[in-house]
Amino acid sequence: MKKFKKVMSLLLVAAMIALVGCSNSNDSAQAGTTDNAAGTETAGDASAAEEDAPAQAADGEVFKIGAIGPSTGSAAVYGLAVQNGADLAIKEINEAGGINGTLIEYNFQDDECDNEKSVNAYNTLKDWGMQMLVGTTTSGCCIAVAAESANDNLFQITPSGSSVDIINNNDNVYQVCFTDPNQGVGAAQYIGENAVAQKVAVIYDSSDVYSSGIYEKFVQEAANQSFEIVSAEAFTADNKTDFSVQLQKAKDAGAELVFLPIYYTEASLILTQANAMDFAPKFFGCDGLDGILNVENFDTALAEGVMLLTPFAADAEDEATQSFVSAYVAAYGDTPNQFAADAYDAVYILKAAIEKSGAAPSDSVSDLCEKLKGAMGEITVDGLTGEAMSWDTDGAVNKAPKAMEIVNGNYSLIQ
């Protein structure tokens, strides 16, 4: 593990789940205090946001932060976590007096993990007066929205959109999560350096930018490792319920481990179908698997021993994590996943950049963006998902990953 951590630290100096992409149909600031204080309330639309806006500063101005993600549909586990994680951070900041004395108004929009609806949500937030965007949650949607925010020169930080296409040629967009390529490299290195398996199969979604991006880099790095890829089978968004063919090929090839650079919904089906055919390899994934324990009607016992790379573990023993988990459970009645932690960090990153730049709510959207871009190259942030996080000029984050294993129905950090 020491060797792995050293390798990963060097590799991920340019940034390395949770985001995460979406099955694309249309498809410091320290982590802060964790008092669950009453501040701004999450709004489902612009009018609701205005009705529930926090008490304004003396000059009547607020920072308006928008957020976008799927709070309904198959990827809702991700979007709701982002919605709540950002909401909790904003409540804390407002309770503490805001950012340089200015409070935050927050508006979250549901995009149902659909590109067109995500752009519509972005336009709704613009009409509301959004100055900064936390989002979007999923990669496919984030690529679509990043094109719009780049045209508007509006500052965008995505908690979990992990595709490099989000930040490529978009100098207004920054990531909190690991990028897809580095997740693939990191997964291959972990399996090889820790001798997890000698024969590895891969099942991936060739129609999805998140999955295919991780897969490509995994294969490239596997050539430098001690294990062999014995089977690599794809599926698409139009055919993602029956995985019997892919699993049979992996089984026939003698795979000891199946790498799943996919999302939790499809992964739950794969684990269920593998069990039905008496195929019991080790399963290994990236941040897209975070959420598999919450799939409705899924036998979570089948997920025992599943491994994944992710920057956050709710059972970590550090004070910041435990305070965050306690506040999150009290506020929303659920244990936070990495997407909640990424969104929480995203808000505190915005706070740090605003404080560093001296930006004010009276600044135009474009002027505010320019100030924040300048600050992002100068700040470091200790958050829940990484210590001393910093950002390259291309918007990629620098931080180290953590390896998790599902044990007794919980995500446990591998020491």
Side-chain angles (χ1 to χ4, degrees), residues 56 59-67 99 102-107 122 124-134 149 152-157 172 350 354 359-373:
Q56 295 187 356
D59 58 7
E61 294 182 326
V62 295
F63 284 114
K64 288 192 169 187
I65 296 178
I99 304 175
T102 299
L103 300 182
I104 301 169
E105 192 171 336
Y106 177 53
N107 187 332
Y122 173 79
T124 296
L125 290 171
K126 278 180 59 180
D127 292 341
W128 169 70
M130 171 178 61
Q131 297 166 297
M132 296 160 277
L133 175 63
V134 174
S149 69
D152 295 329
N153 200 33
L154 182 144
F155 189 85
Q156 178 176 348
I157 183 165
N172 65 307
L350 281 175
I354 290 170
S362 58
D363 291 329
S364 69
V365 164
S366 183
D367 287 346
L368 182 60
C369 184
E370 290 301 316
K371 289 181 179 181
L372 295 180
K373 287 192 296 184

Side-chain angles (χ1 to χ4, degrees), residues 35-283:
D35 299 328
N36 183 28
T40 181
E41 294 299 324
T42 302
D45 54 42
S47 60
E50 291 165 359
E51 292 172 3
D52 295 335
Q56 295 187 356
D59 58 7
E61 294 182 326
V62 295
F63 284 114
K64 288 192 169 187
I65 296 178
I68 301 172
S71 56
T72 59
S74 62
V77 166
Y78 301 141
L80 289 171
V82 165
Q83 180 180 7
N84 293 340
D87 181 50
L88 182 59
I90 288 167
K91 286 177 178 177
E92 292 174 5
I93 292 169
N94 280 344
E95 176 66 13
I99 304 175
N100 292 334
T102 299
L103 300 182
I104 301 169
E105 192 171 336
Y106 177 53
N107 187 332
F108 182 93
Q109 292 288 318
D110 179 14
D111 66 9
E112 302 177 36
C113 199
D114 179 282
N115 292 1
E116 183 177 353
K117 291 179 180 178
S118 201
V119 172
N120 290 340
Y122 173 79
N123 289 327
T124 296
L125 290 171
K126 278 180 59 180
D127 292 341
W128 169 70
M130 171 178 61
Q131 297 166 297
M132 296 160 277
L133 175 63
V134 174
T136 67
T137 299
T138 55
S139 283
C141 291
C142 203
I143 292 169
V145 168
E148 302 297 322
S149 69
N151 288 337
D152 295 329
N153 200 33
L154 182 144
F155 189 85
Q156 178 176 348
I157 183 165
T158 173
S160 47
S162 54
S163 171
V164 293
D165 290 335
I166 293 168
I167 55 176
N168 284 347
N169 302 314
N170 294 323
D171 68 355
N172 65 307
V173 185
Y174 292 78
Q175 292 171 311
V176 180
C177 59
F178 303 136
T179 61
D180 295 341
N182 282 330
Q183 288 197 73
V185 172
Q189 288 202 335
Y190 184 91
I191 293 168
E193 295 291 341
N194 293 277
V196 180
Q198 294 298 312
K199 294 184 176 182
V200 175
V202 185
I203 300 176
Y204 69 102
D205 184 350
S206 60
S207 66
D208 178 70
V209 293
Y210 166 76
S211 185
S212 58
I214 295 175
Y215 164 72
E216 290 170 5
K217 289 298 182 179
F218 180 83
V219 171
Q220 290 178 18
E221 179 58 29
N224 302 320
Q225 299 300 322
S226 58
F227 64 86
E228 175 189 4
I229 296 178
V230 295
S231 173
E233 296 295 320
F235 63 92
T236 68
D238 296 326
N239 184 21
K240 57 178 183 179
T241 57
D242 182 359
F243 300 96
S244 57
V245 173
Q246 294 93 331
L247 286 167
Q248 190 62 54
K249 289 186 177 181
K251 184 177 182 180
D252 291 345
E256 303 161 332
L257 180 148
V258 177
F259 180 53
L260 301 175
I262 58 176
Y263 306 114
Y264 61 89
T265 303
E266 290 77 23
S268 68
L269 294 175
I270 288 174
L271 267 61
T272 300
Q273 292 170 23
N275 180 66
M277 58 190 292
D278 295 323
F279 182 37
K282 191 82 171 178
F283 289 99

